[in-house]
């Protein structure tokens, strides 16, 4: 129920942008267009350098900014290994159904 993209640090932004575009297309194909986006940022206890966290957080936020997506930031809700974008679909059957997040390791 998940997948992984292995890439270099220089590829993180492009891969996040491509993933977000693909996700929006698939959800739209199934009629889901009302999506709540959240970017969960670095927790207090984490691995990795601040420089790498800065790059990863920028990539996930920029992958939403470029297509004009609004998002909220729950500070410190990221995984210990990296930030993540969370997607919550809203429809009549399930007003707040969270789907798989996109973590960046």
């Amino acid at each position: 129920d998940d997948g992984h993209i292995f890439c270099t640090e220089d590829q993180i932004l492009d891969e996040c942008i491509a993933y977000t575009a693909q996700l929006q297309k698939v959800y739209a194909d199934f009629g889901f267009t009302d999506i709540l986006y959240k970017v969960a940022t670095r927790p207090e206890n984490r691995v990795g350098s601040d420089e790498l966290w800065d790059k990863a957080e920028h990539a996930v936020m920029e992958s939403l900014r470029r297509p004009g997506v609004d998002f909220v930031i729950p500070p410190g809700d990221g995984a210990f290994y990296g930030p993540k974008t969370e997607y919550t679909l809203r429809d009549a059957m399930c007003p707040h159904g969270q789907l798989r997040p996109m973590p960046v390791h």
Side-chain angles (χ1 to χ4, degrees), residues 10-56:
D10 293 337
Q11 296 171 314
I12 293 171
L13 177 58
D14 289 339
E15 291 298 330
C16 287
I17 290 169
Y19 181 87
T20 298
Q22 180 67 25
L23 175 126
Q24 290 173 323
K25 181 187 178 320
V26 169
Y27 286 173
D29 287 347
F30 286 97
F32 296 111
T33 56
D34 189 9
I35 304 168
L36 172 63
Y37 297 86
K38 296 178 185 176
V39 175
T41 58
R42 70 189 81 184
E44 186 175 325
N45 296 315
R46 61 186 179 272
V47 297
S49 69
D50 285 341
E51 179 184 8
L52 186 54
W53 273 88
D54 289 344
K55 186 177 279 190

Side-chain angles (χ1 to χ4, degrees), residues 34 88-98:
D34 189 9
T88 302
L89 300 180
R90 295 177 284 206
D91 70 5
M93 298 297 291
C94 185
H96 299 288
Q98 182 179 339

Side-chain angles (χ1 to χ4, degrees), residues 12 16 53 55-57 59-60 79 81-85 102-105:
I12 293 171
C16 287
W53 273 88
K55 186 177 279 190
E57 287 174 341
V60 295
Y81 52 79
K84 59 184 175 179
T85 305
M102 179 190 67
V104 176
H105 304 241

